[in-house]
Every structure is written in C-alpha cells, then in structure tokens.
Amino acid sequence: HQQHGTQQDLQAQPINLAKFIAAHGLGDMALSGNEPKNVKKLAKISAKFQIPADEAIHLALADFPLFGGPYGMALTRSAFYTKDLMEDPLRLPLAQVDERSLRYCDDGKEMRINSDTPVFFPVHIKSSVREQLLDLLKQEIRLLKS
C-alpha cells in the first residue's frame, strides 16, 4: 500500500457530547456547559471545585450526594479539575495535562492522569460505558487544548 499510495488511514469519528450523554443516560452526571438546564448544577460545581468565575465549565462529570457537595471532575478552557467527596479540589493547568495518559486503574474503579494523579468520577457509572467515556474525555481535552 505504501508503495502505491493506497494506504488508508482510519479516522476516528468525533463523539458528539450531547448525543453521548443522552444515549447513555448520563444526564444527571455528565453536564455540558452548553446546556441551559445545567446552570444551577454547574454553579454548584464551580463553587465546590473552586473554579474562578472567569473560567466557564465546558464539561463536568460529577455526582451530587446528599452530604459533602459534588465530587468528580470538570474541564474548562484553562484547567482540568478533580475533587473527591469531602476533599479539597485539585487543579491541573490544561497545558500540563497529557490526555493520552488518562486511563483506568487495573480494578476499573479509579482513573489516573499524568501517570499518578487521581481523577475522581461517579463510581456508579456503568462499566459498559466507561471505555467510551474515557475516549470522550480524551477528545474533549484535545479539543480544549487546540
């Protein structure tokens, strides 16, 4: 193929954020910053994750338990935020985030980025959706960095 110029490159189809959320029933946990219905939840996330007012959330993957406030992760154009239940949030500047390093731990219950930084997400997300979710997060980080 290389010699004759017939090599075809597979192009990954971009994942549509809104369709992905709707198709997998993640509307209560995966929140797009473009949806007006998410304004209140995104405001709670911004407050608890200590996201500056000038940083709009592009995508959040969070749970809202009865006590302790929201936990999970959020993406803005400037940074990647992650917060565990009842813990302080962690902010990683997007320029320092390597989306290729985003992966699940061997048990599938935890996510890591940049080799050892924990990424918190709602643990009750179905395991059948997790690989696609990982691809979506990598895509969205790449989009925000470009």
Side-chain angles (χ1 to χ4, degrees), residues 27-82:
D28 291 338
M29 292 175 278
L31 307 169
S32 171
N34 298 339
E35 293 289 327
K37 66 179 182 176
N38 296 333
V39 170
K40 286 184 181 180
K41 285 187 174 183
L42 291 174
K44 288 180 183 179
I45 292 170
S46 288
K48 286 291 185 176
F49 285 42
Q50 300 172 6
I51 298 174
D54 63 339
E55 286 186 44
I57 295 176
H58 172 73
L59 171 66
L61 186 60
D63 195 11
F64 295 83
L66 193 56
F67 300 106
Y71 73 94
M73 51 88 30
L75 281 170
T76 71
R77 291 210 172 273
S78 306
F80 183 95
Y81 293 86
T82 185

Side-chain angles (χ1 to χ4, degrees), residues 104-118:
Y104 289 105
C105 293
D106 293 336
D107 63 6
K109 294 179 183 177
E110 292 182 357
M111 206 183 284
R112 301 264 183 223
I113 197 161
N114 293 353
S115 71
D116 64 347
T117 304

Side-chain angles (χ1 to χ4, degrees), residues 73 75 80-82 90-94 96-105 110-120 134 137-138 141 145:
M73 51 88 30
L75 281 170
F80 183 95
Y81 293 86
T82 185
L90 174 65
R91 181 185 191 273
L92 299 169
L94 214 50
Q96 296 175 9
V97 172
D98 181 7
E99 73 277 359
R100 295 168 300 177
S101 72
L102 188 62
R103 64 175 175 77
Y104 289 105
C105 293
E110 292 182 357
M111 206 183 284
R112 301 264 183 223
I113 197 161
N114 293 353
S115 71
D116 64 347
T117 304
V119 175
F120 303 102
L134 197 61
L137 291 174
K138 288 178 181 181
I141 292 169
K145 287 173 74 172

